[in-house]
Amino acid sequence: MTVRRSAGLLLFRRAADGPQVLLGHMGGPFFARKDAGAWTVPKGEYEPDEPAWDAARREFREELGLEPPDGEAIALGEVKQTNGKLVTAWAVEADLDPAAVVPGTFTMEWPPRSGRLWEFPELDRVAWFGLEQARAVIVTAQAAFLDRLAEHSA
């Protein structure tokens, strides 16, 4: 069985009350009414022959419709999500206006077995969160990235 891999960029900025991170709310009908566990690092899958760093920057572009910021990349390592996917992330310090995001889209049959195809945004909302607030809404396994960022920022 092939392991699915994703890579992404976790933007952070410094605020008076501590670091803030930029997360995206997963689009589509499965997450429309969910908040806790429905926010993610902007990321996406990549093939084994693509370097994870290149995939993280490409996926940032595809999911947010903006160029990934330049700056020092802080390796946050890898986590394994409950679905078995391995996610690698880097933190980059940058500021970004969530209103500037033009999300990429995906197409899926909805409702299931209806024969109707709908287009949904990859991320339907993007917002800045303090680390504790982010911990309450991020995909459970990805909370490790917040801990690693906090250790680096200490």
Side-chain angles (χ1 to χ4, degrees):
M1 185 169 122
T2 304
V3 175
R4 292 174 34 225
R5 295 183 168 275
S6 283
L9 297 181
L10 178 63
L11 263 55
F12 73 98
R13 65 185 183 186
R14 299 173 199 276
D17 57 349
Q20 295 180 335
V21 293
L22 185 77
L23 300 177
H25 185 270
M26 292 181 273
F30 299 118
F31 300 99
R33 292 185 174 86
K34 293 181 182 175
D35 203 41
W39 291 79
T40 182
V41 171
K43 61 170 181 44
E45 292 188 17
Y46 64 98
E47 296 298 322
D49 61 342
E50 181 180 16
W53 171 248
D54 293 347
R57 293 180 57 79
R58 174 182 50 76
E59 286 295 333
F60 186 93
R61 200 175 297 111
E62 289 177 12
E63 294 217 345
L64 301 180
L66 301 169
E67 286 300 311
D70 292 324
E72 178 191 356
I74 302 163
L76 299 178
E78 186 175 85
V79 299
K80 185 175 185 177
Q81 296 185 161
T82 55
N83 63 5
K85 183 184 291 184
L86 293 176
V87 180
T88 304
W90 289 265
V92 177
E93 186 171 0
D95 203 354
L96 180 149
D97 180 0
V101 170
V102 181
T105 60
F106 68 95
T107 303
M108 69 179 280
E109 182 182 21
W110 190 257
R113 297 177 295 285
S114 67
R116 295 193 327 218
L117 295 178
W118 291 87
E119 193 170 273
F120 297 98
E122 296 268 355
L123 301 173
D124 59 18
R125 289 176 274 157
V126 175
W128 288 99
F129 294 91
L131 293 181
E132 288 311 308
Q133 187 184 15
R135 195 175 320 285
V137 298
I138 198 167
V139 171
T140 304
Q142 293 180 26
F145 295 141
L146 304 176
D147 296 338
R148 294 169 191 166
L149 176 63
E151 288 171 13
H152 183 272
S153 301

PDB file of all heavy atoms in Angstrom, residues 113-133:
ATOM      1  N   ARG A 113     -23.684   9.510  -5.125  1.00  0.00           N
ATOM      2  CA  ARG A 113     -24.473   8.699  -6.059  1.00  0.00           C
ATOM      3  C   ARG A 113     -25.608   9.473  -6.744  1.00  0.00           C
ATOM      4  O   ARG A 113     -26.552   8.880  -7.245  1.00  0.00           O
ATOM      5  CB  ARG A 113     -25.019   7.438  -5.370  1.00  0.00           C
ATOM      6  CG  ARG A 113     -23.909   6.515  -4.894  1.00  0.00           C
ATOM      7  CD  ARG A 113     -24.404   5.311  -4.150  1.00  0.00           C
ATOM      8  NE  ARG A 113     -25.081   5.601  -2.883  1.00  0.00           N
ATOM      9  CZ  ARG A 113     -24.504   5.970  -1.751  1.00  0.00           C
ATOM     10  NH1 ARG A 113     -23.197   6.082  -1.707  1.00  0.00           N
ATOM     11  NH2 ARG A 113     -25.193   6.195  -0.664  1.00  0.00           N
ATOM     12  N   SER A 114     -25.497  10.806  -6.742  1.00  0.00           N
ATOM     13  CA  SER A 114     -26.534  11.632  -7.382  1.00  0.00           C
ATOM     14  C   SER A 114     -26.256  11.859  -8.862  1.00  0.00           C
ATOM     15  O   SER A 114     -27.154  12.251  -9.605  1.00  0.00           O
ATOM     16  CB  SER A 114     -26.632  12.995  -6.695  1.00  0.00           C
ATOM     17  OG  SER A 114     -25.437  13.743  -6.922  1.00  0.00           O
ATOM     18  N   GLY A 115     -24.980  11.658  -9.253  1.00  0.00           N
ATOM     19  CA  GLY A 115     -24.600  11.938 -10.628  1.00  0.00           C
ATOM     20  C   GLY A 115     -24.345  13.415 -10.879  1.00  0.00           C
ATOM     21  O   GLY A 115     -23.973  13.804 -11.982  1.00  0.00           O
ATOM     22  N   ARG A 116     -24.515  14.258  -9.856  1.00  0.00           N
ATOM     23  CA  ARG A 116     -24.298  15.708 -10.015  1.00  0.00           C
ATOM     24  C   ARG A 116     -22.915  16.080  -9.498  1.00  0.00           C
ATOM     25  O   ARG A 116     -22.540  15.725  -8.388  1.00  0.00           O
ATOM     26  CB  ARG A 116     -25.365  16.494  -9.263  1.00  0.00           C
ATOM     27  CG  ARG A 116     -26.746  16.271  -9.849  1.00  0.00           C
ATOM     28  CD  ARG A 116     -27.775  17.240  -9.343  1.00  0.00           C
ATOM     29  NE  ARG A 116     -27.555  17.669  -7.970  1.00  0.00           N
ATOM     30  CZ  ARG A 116     -28.528  17.871  -7.091  1.00  0.00           C
ATOM     31  NH1 ARG A 116     -29.780  17.691  -7.431  1.00  0.00           N
ATOM     32  NH2 ARG A 116     -28.256  18.275  -5.869  1.00  0.00           N
ATOM     33  N   LEU A 117     -22.160  16.782 -10.332  1.00  0.00           N
ATOM     34  CA  LEU A 117     -20.830  17.234  -9.944  1.00  0.00           C
ATOM     35  C   LEU A 117     -20.902  18.681  -9.485  1.00  0.00           C
ATOM     36  O   LEU A 117     -21.524  19.520 -10.142  1.00  0.00           O
ATOM     37  CB  LEU A 117     -19.846  17.095 -11.107  1.00  0.00           C
ATOM     38  CG  LEU A 117     -19.556  15.674 -11.572  1.00  0.00           C
ATOM     39  CD1 LEU A 117     -18.599  15.686 -12.756  1.00  0.00           C
ATOM     40  CD2 LEU A 117     -18.976  14.844 -10.433  1.00  0.00           C
ATOM     41  N   TRP A 118     -20.263  18.951  -8.377  1.00  0.00           N
ATOM     42  CA  TRP A 118     -20.213  20.292  -7.813  1.00  0.00           C
ATOM     43  C   TRP A 118     -18.753  20.691  -7.647  1.00  0.00           C
ATOM     44  O   TRP A 118     -17.898  19.859  -7.377  1.00  0.00           O
ATOM     45  CB  TRP A 118     -20.897  20.331  -6.448  1.00  0.00           C
ATOM     46  CG  TRP A 118     -22.370  20.156  -6.521  1.00  0.00           C
ATOM     47  CD1 TRP A 118     -23.051  18.970  -6.530  1.00  0.00           C
ATOM     48  CD2 TRP A 118     -23.356  21.184  -6.611  1.00  0.00           C
ATOM     49  NE1 TRP A 118     -24.397  19.197  -6.609  1.00  0.00           N
ATOM     50  CE2 TRP A 118     -24.609  20.554  -6.661  1.00  0.00           C
ATOM     51  CE3 TRP A 118     -23.293  22.570  -6.648  1.00  0.00           C
ATOM     52  CZ2 TRP A 118     -25.799  21.260  -6.747  1.00  0.00           C
ATOM     53  CZ3 TRP A 118     -24.479  23.269  -6.722  1.00  0.00           C
ATOM     54  CH2 TRP A 118     -25.705  22.618  -6.777  1.00  0.00           C
ATOM     55  N   GLU A 119     -18.507  21.977  -7.725  1.00  0.00           N
ATOM     56  CA  GLU A 119     -17.165  22.516  -7.492  1.00  0.00           C
ATOM     57  C   GLU A 119     -17.164  23.181  -6.117  1.00  0.00           C
ATOM     58  O   GLU A 119     -18.080  23.936  -5.785  1.00  0.00           O
ATOM     59  CB  GLU A 119     -16.821  23.529  -8.584  1.00  0.00           C
ATOM     60  CG  GLU A 119     -15.361  23.900  -8.595  1.00  0.00           C
ATOM     61  CD  GLU A 119     -14.990  24.697  -9.827  1.00  0.00           C
ATOM     62  OE1 GLU A 119     -14.675  24.060 -10.853  1.00  0.00           O
ATOM     63  OE2 GLU A 119     -15.024  25.937  -9.743  1.00  0.00           O
ATOM     64  N   PHE A 120     -16.142  22.871  -5.328  1.00  0.00           N
ATOM     65  CA  PHE A 120     -16.006  23.413  -3.977  1.00  0.00           C
ATOM     66  C   PHE A 120     -14.620  24.029  -3.817  1.00  0.00           C
ATOM     67  O   PHE A 120     -13.662  23.577  -4.437  1.00  0.00           O
ATOM     68  CB  PHE A 120     -16.160  22.297  -2.929  1.00  0.00           C
ATOM     69  CG  PHE A 120     -17.499  21.642  -2.920  1.00  0.00           C
ATOM     70  CD1 PHE A 120     -17.693  20.438  -3.591  1.00  0.00           C
ATOM     71  CD2 PHE A 120     -18.569  22.212  -2.251  1.00  0.00           C
ATOM     72  CE1 PHE A 120     -18.930  19.815  -3.588  1.00  0.00           C
ATOM     73  CE2 PHE A 120     -19.813  21.606  -2.242  1.00  0.00           C
ATOM     74  CZ  PHE A 120     -19.998  20.401  -2.909  1.00  0.00           C
ATOM     75  N   PRO A 121     -14.488  25.058  -2.953  1.00  0.00           N
ATOM     76  CA  PRO A 121     -13.160  25.612  -2.683  1.00  0.00           C
ATOM     77  C   PRO A 121     -12.340  24.633  -1.846  1.00  0.00           C
ATOM     78  O   PRO A 121     -12.877  23.939  -0.981  1.00  0.00           O
ATOM     79  CB  PRO A 121     -13.450  26.892  -1.892  1.00  0.00           C
ATOM     80  CG  PRO A 121     -14.780  26.648  -1.249  1.00  0.00           C
ATOM     81  CD  PRO A 121     -15.541  25.740  -2.188  1.00  0.00           C
ATOM     82  N   GLU A 122     -11.029  24.564  -2.126  1.00  0.00           N
ATOM     83  CA  GLU A 122     -10.134  23.735  -1.310  1.00  0.00           C
ATOM     84  C   GLU A 122     -10.217  24.177   0.157  1.00  0.00           C
ATOM     85  O   GLU A 122     -10.301  23.355   1.059  1.00  0.00           O
ATOM     86  CB  GLU A 122      -8.687  23.872  -1.790  1.00  0.00           C
ATOM     87  CG  GLU A 122      -8.455  23.371  -3.186  1.00  0.00           C
ATOM     88  CD  GLU A 122      -8.031  21.924  -3.236  1.00  0.00           C
ATOM     89  OE1 GLU A 122      -7.828  21.310  -2.175  1.00  0.00           O
ATOM     90  OE2 GLU A 122      -7.911  21.411  -4.350  1.00  0.00           O
ATOM     91  N   LEU A 123     -10.148  25.476   0.362  1.00  0.00           N
ATOM     92  CA  LEU A 123     -10.290  26.088   1.687  1.00  0.00           C
ATOM     93  C   LEU A 123     -11.387  27.137   1.563  1.00  0.00           C
ATOM     94  O   LEU A 123     -11.287  28.029   0.724  1.00  0.00           O
ATOM     95  CB  LEU A 123      -8.980  26.735   2.133  1.00  0.00           C
ATOM     96  CG  LEU A 123      -7.763  25.814   2.229  1.00  0.00           C
ATOM     97  CD1 LEU A 123      -6.501  26.617   2.505  1.00  0.00           C
ATOM     98  CD2 LEU A 123      -7.969  24.759   3.316  1.00  0.00           C
ATOM     99  N   ASP A 124     -12.418  27.038   2.396  1.00  0.00           N
ATOM    100  CA  ASP A 124     -13.504  28.009   2.255  1.00  0.00           C
ATOM    101  C   ASP A 124     -13.356  29.236   3.142  1.00  0.00           C
ATOM    102  O   ASP A 124     -14.062  30.220   2.975  1.00  0.00           O
ATOM    103  CB  ASP A 124     -14.876  27.349   2.451  1.00  0.00           C
ATOM    104  CG  ASP A 124     -15.055  26.690   3.803  1.00  0.00           C
ATOM    105  OD1 ASP A 124     -14.291  26.992   4.742  1.00  0.00           O
ATOM    106  OD2 ASP A 124     -15.971  25.856   3.914  1.00  0.00           O
ATOM    107  N   ARG A 125     -12.414  29.172   4.087  1.00  0.00           N
ATOM    108  CA  ARG A 125     -12.082  30.322   4.939  1.00  0.00           C
ATOM    109  C   ARG A 125     -10.618  30.217   5.326  1.00  0.00           C
ATOM    110  O   ARG A 125     -10.087  29.118   5.454  1.00  0.00           O
ATOM    111  CB  ARG A 125     -12.900  30.322   6.232  1.00  0.00           C
ATOM    112  CG  ARG A 125     -14.355  30.638   6.039  1.00  0.00           C
ATOM    113  CD  ARG A 125     -15.106  30.522   7.357  1.00  0.00           C
ATOM    114  NE  ARG A 125     -15.495  29.120   7.540  1.00  0.00           N
ATOM    115  CZ  ARG A 125     -15.768  28.560   8.699  1.00  0.00           C
ATOM    116  NH1 ARG A 125     -15.682  29.249   9.812  1.00  0.00           N
ATOM    117  NH2 ARG A 125     -16.112  27.289   8.780  1.00  0.00           N
ATOM    118  N   VAL A 126      -9.996  31.362   5.534  1.00  0.00           N
ATOM    119  CA  VAL A 126      -8.610  31.418   6.005  1.00  0.00           C
ATOM    120  C   VAL A 126      -8.591  32.470   7.108  1.00  0.00           C
ATOM    121  O   VAL A 126      -9.183  33.542   6.956  1.00  0.00           O
ATOM    122  CB  VAL A 126      -7.652  31.806   4.852  1.00  0.00           C
ATOM    123  CG1 VAL A 126      -6.234  31.977   5.364  1.00  0.00           C
ATOM    124  CG2 VAL A 126      -7.696  30.758   3.750  1.00  0.00           C
ATOM    125  N   ALA A 127      -7.926  32.147   8.222  1.00  0.00           N
ATOM    126  CA  ALA A 127      -7.915  33.090   9.347  1.00  0.00           C
ATOM    127  C   ALA A 127      -6.658  32.908  10.189  1.00  0.00           C
ATOM    128  O   ALA A 127      -6.020  31.851  10.176  1.00  0.00           O
ATOM    129  CB  ALA A 127      -9.157  32.874  10.220  1.00  0.00           C
ATOM    130  N   TRP A 128      -6.333  33.975  10.920  1.00  0.00           N
ATOM    131  CA  TRP A 128      -5.223  33.952  11.868  1.00  0.00           C
ATOM    132  C   TRP A 128      -5.742  33.519  13.232  1.00  0.00           C
ATOM    133  O   TRP A 128      -6.811  33.945  13.659  1.00  0.00           O
ATOM    134  CB  TRP A 128      -4.595  35.339  11.991  1.00  0.00           C
ATOM    135  CG  TRP A 128      -3.816  35.740  10.791  1.00  0.00           C
ATOM    136  CD1 TRP A 128      -4.232  36.556   9.774  1.00  0.00           C
ATOM    137  CD2 TRP A 128      -2.486  35.335  10.466  1.00  0.00           C
ATOM    138  NE1 TRP A 128      -3.236  36.675   8.846  1.00  0.00           N
ATOM    139  CE2 TRP A 128      -2.151  35.946   9.240  1.00  0.00           C
ATOM    140  CE3 TRP A 128      -1.540  34.513  11.089  1.00  0.00           C
ATOM    141  CZ2 TRP A 128      -0.905  35.762   8.636  1.00  0.00           C
ATOM    142  CZ3 TRP A 128      -0.308  34.332  10.492  1.00  0.00           C
ATOM    143  CH2 TRP A 128      -0.001  34.953   9.277  1.00  0.00           C
ATOM    144  N   PHE A 129      -4.968  32.679  13.933  1.00  0.00           N
ATOM    145  CA  PHE A 129      -5.320  32.179  15.255  1.00  0.00           C
ATOM    146  C   PHE A 129      -4.115  32.272  16.174  1.00  0.00           C
ATOM    147  O   PHE A 129      -2.995  31.985  15.749  1.00  0.00           O
ATOM    148  CB  PHE A 129      -5.697  30.691  15.195  1.00  0.00           C
ATOM    149  CG  PHE A 129      -6.950  30.382  14.433  1.00  0.00           C
ATOM    150  CD1 PHE A 129      -6.892  30.089  13.080  1.00  0.00           C
ATOM    151  CD2 PHE A 129      -8.185  30.351  15.079  1.00  0.00           C
ATOM    152  CE1 PHE A 129      -8.042  29.781  12.371  1.00  0.00           C
ATOM    153  CE2 PHE A 129      -9.336  30.038  14.377  1.00  0.00           C
ATOM    154  CZ  PHE A 129      -9.275  29.753  13.021  1.00  0.00           C
ATOM    155  N   GLY A 130      -4.354  32.607  17.445  1.00  0.00           N
ATOM    156  CA  GLY A 130      -3.332  32.424  18.464  1.00  0.00           C
ATOM    157  C   GLY A 130      -3.117  30.928  18.625  1.00  0.00           C
ATOM    158  O   GLY A 130      -3.973  30.119  18.230  1.00  0.00           O
ATOM    159  N   LEU A 131      -1.995  30.521  19.208  1.00  0.00           N
ATOM    160  CA  LEU A 131      -1.668  29.094  19.276  1.00  0.00           C
ATOM    161  C   LEU A 131      -2.708  28.274  20.035  1.00  0.00           C
ATOM    162  O   LEU A 131      -3.060  27.171  19.617  1.00  0.00           O
ATOM    163  CB  LEU A 131      -0.281  28.881  19.867  1.00  0.00           C
ATOM    164  CG  LEU A 131       0.890  29.381  19.018  1.00  0.00           C
ATOM    165  CD1 LEU A 131       2.219  29.077  19.707  1.00  0.00           C
ATOM    166  CD2 LEU A 131       0.855  28.769  17.624  1.00  0.00           C
ATOM    167  N   GLU A 132      -3.236  28.788  21.137  1.00  0.00           N
ATOM    168  CA  GLU A 132      -4.233  28.017  21.897  1.00  0.00           C
ATOM    169  C   GLU A 132      -5.537  27.906  21.127  1.00  0.00           C
ATOM    170  O   GLU A 132      -6.167  26.848  21.106  1.00  0.00           O
ATOM    171  CB  GLU A 132      -4.451  28.618  23.279  1.00  0.00           C
ATOM    172  CG  GLU A 132      -3.285  28.392  24.211  1.00  0.00           C
ATOM    173  CD  GLU A 132      -2.805  26.935  24.251  1.00  0.00           C
ATOM    174  OE1 GLU A 132      -3.635  26.024  24.470  1.00  0.00           O
ATOM    175  OE2 GLU A 132      -1.597  26.695  24.053  1.00  0.00           O
ATOM    176  N   GLN A 133      -5.958  28.979  20.504  1.00  0.00           N
ATOM    177  CA  GLN A 133      -7.170  28.945  19.689  1.00  0.00           C
ATOM    178  C   GLN A 133      -6.973  28.000  18.503  1.00  0.00           C
ATOM    179  O   GLN A 133      -7.870  27.226  18.159  1.00  0.00           O
ATOM    180  CB  GLN A 133      -7.518  30.364  19.215  1.00  0.00           C
ATOM    181  CG  GLN A 133      -8.843  30.471  18.517  1.00  0.00           C
ATOM    182  CD  GLN A 133      -9.092  31.881  17.973  1.00  0.00           C
ATOM    183  OE1 GLN A 133      -8.186  32.707  17.875  1.00  0.00           O
ATOM    184  NE2 GLN A 133     -10.334  32.132  17.609  1.00  0.00           N
TER     185      GLN A 133
END
